[in-house]
Amino acid sequence: MVTFFFLSSQIGDKWQPFDLSCFCVPKHYENDLEQVLIPHGIIQDRIERLARDIFQELGQGPLTALCVLKGGYKFFSDLMDKINQLNCNQGQKSIPVSIDFIRLKSYENDQSSGLIKIVGSDNLSSLKGRNVLIVEDIIDTGRTMKKLLNTLQQYEPKSVRVASLLVKRREDNNGDVCYMPEYAGFIVPDKFLVGYALDFNEYFRDLNHICVISQAGMKKYRK
Ligand code: IMP
């Protein structure tokens, strides 16, 4: 299954991103972005398919969907909507889904600090015996996810799976991904991406498309 996603949702280095002028972008970000890598509509279409795969594969029992804030909130919300639609329309079966939220911090500017702080983690004892789906925005070095998976083990969930909208190929890893989740939206090039809740120092979450930040944008919003 992982191989299938890897092949089908790969945004290769030769992928031609879209010119900004092809799409509506908030005026306040016009000079801060290079290109649109994944337009909002394509994001939605991909999430629809991920929801179907999750519904078919995890449909045997109740599920706890764990949103990694803040970057994962849009993906989480759209994924939950699409799973709910399947719950209402499939007739034969539906998955009871409870939701929970966690907040981690690992980045300053565009660099991983190597340290991961769990900022919010209440109610995690409720994960005991549950099938858990972690919903994350992007996996880069994979350190955040590995640390989170380790941390969650102490709460004794029945199973844990990961859905990440984006997974980055790393140049320092021979152009390969460092960690492949069970559900991957798009495999993306090693660039710093913003939009659809992904931020650069808290900016760009209010942008619908996934875009490549420009040098000017980095300079403007660098701390
Ligand atoms: P990792 O531990 O290196 O896998 O980093 C994962 C976390 O880093 C994500 O949850 C994001 O918060 C952040 N991150 C990594 N790459 C990007 C990016 O291109 N844009 C925005 N945030 C990123």
Side-chain angles (χ1 to χ4, degrees):
M1 180 189 67
V2 168
T3 311
F4 169 73
F5 283 130
F6 192 79
L7 292 173
S8 66
S9 59
Q10 180 91 238
I11 294 189
D13 292 327
K14 291 191 180 135
W15 169 274
Q16 190 57 52
F18 301 91
D19 200 83
L20 277 186
S21 61
C22 299
F23 297 96
C24 294
V25 168
K27 182 111 193 89
H28 50 276
Y29 291 140
E30 264 175 5
N31 299 320
D32 308 328
L33 301 166
E34 236 170 59
Q35 285 155 320
V36 175
L37 188 72
I38 317 174
H40 187 251
I42 296 181
I43 299 171
Q44 296 304 315
D45 292 341
R46 182 74 185 113
I47 295 174
E48 190 176 11
R49 177 57 200 253
L50 288 176
R52 196 178 89 181
D53 292 336
I54 291 166
F55 184 83
Q56 285 173 347
E57 288 164 27
L58 301 183
Q60 301 82 358
L63 184 69
T64 297
L66 189 62
C67 174
V68 183
L69 294 171
K70 300 178 188 174
Y73 96 89
K74 268 186 188 278
F75 176 39
F76 184 80
S77 165
D78 289 335
L79 186 66
M80 289 308 111
D81 278 354
K82 288 173 171 54
I83 290 176
N84 284 342
Q85 280 165 19
L86 292 167
N87 275 343
C88 295
N89 300 330
Q90 287 295 303
Q92 301 296 332
K93 68 170 182 182
S94 64
I95 322 176
V97 184
S98 42
I99 60 170
D100 220 325
F101 299 89
I102 191 169
R103 217 176 139 195
L104 312 166
K105 201 153 172 56
S106 67
Y107 269 65
E108 184 140 294
N109 294 321
D110 60 340
Q111 296 301 311
S112 172
S113 64
L115 296 170
I116 289 134
K117 227 169 36 177
I118 297 179
V119 183
S121 63
D122 48 9
N123 286 332
L124 289 187
S125 52
S126 64
L127 299 183
K128 189 169 178 171
R130 302 277 300 186
N131 291 318
V132 176
L133 179 70
I134 300 173
V135 182
E136 170 70 301
D137 55 353
I138 182 165
I139 292 173
D140 186 1
T141 64
R143 272 187 232 127
T144 308
M145 190 48 66
K146 286 176 193 160
K147 166 93 181 175
L148 177 56
L149 288 168
N150 262 343
T151 309
L152 290 185
Q153 282 316 310
Q154 73 194 64
Y155 300 101
E156 301 174 33
K158 186 172 165 198
S159 72
V160 182
R161 294 192 190 210
V162 178
S164 182
L165 181 63
L166 307 175
V167 185
K168 220 183 257 187
R169 292 190 301 274
R170 301 258 322 171
E171 276 163 18
D172 62 5
N173 191 38
N174 296 324
D176 238 330
V177 303
C178 294
Y179 175 88
M180 183 56 90
E182 283 79 8
Y183 304 98
F186 300 94
I187 315 298
V188 293
D190 196 353
K191 296 175 188 287
F192 200 81
L193 303 175
V194 293
Y196 194 69
L198 280 91
D199 74 311
F200 180 76
N201 291 337
E202 296 302 327
Y203 292 92
F204 301 104
R205 293 198 201 274
D206 55 335
L207 166 69
N208 277 338
H209 314 294
I210 293 175
C211 299
V212 181
I213 191 171
S214 67
Q215 287 301 321
M218 285 222 180
K219 202 168 157 202
K220 184 166 162 190
Y221 298 113
R222 197 176 284 279
K223 277 184 189 163

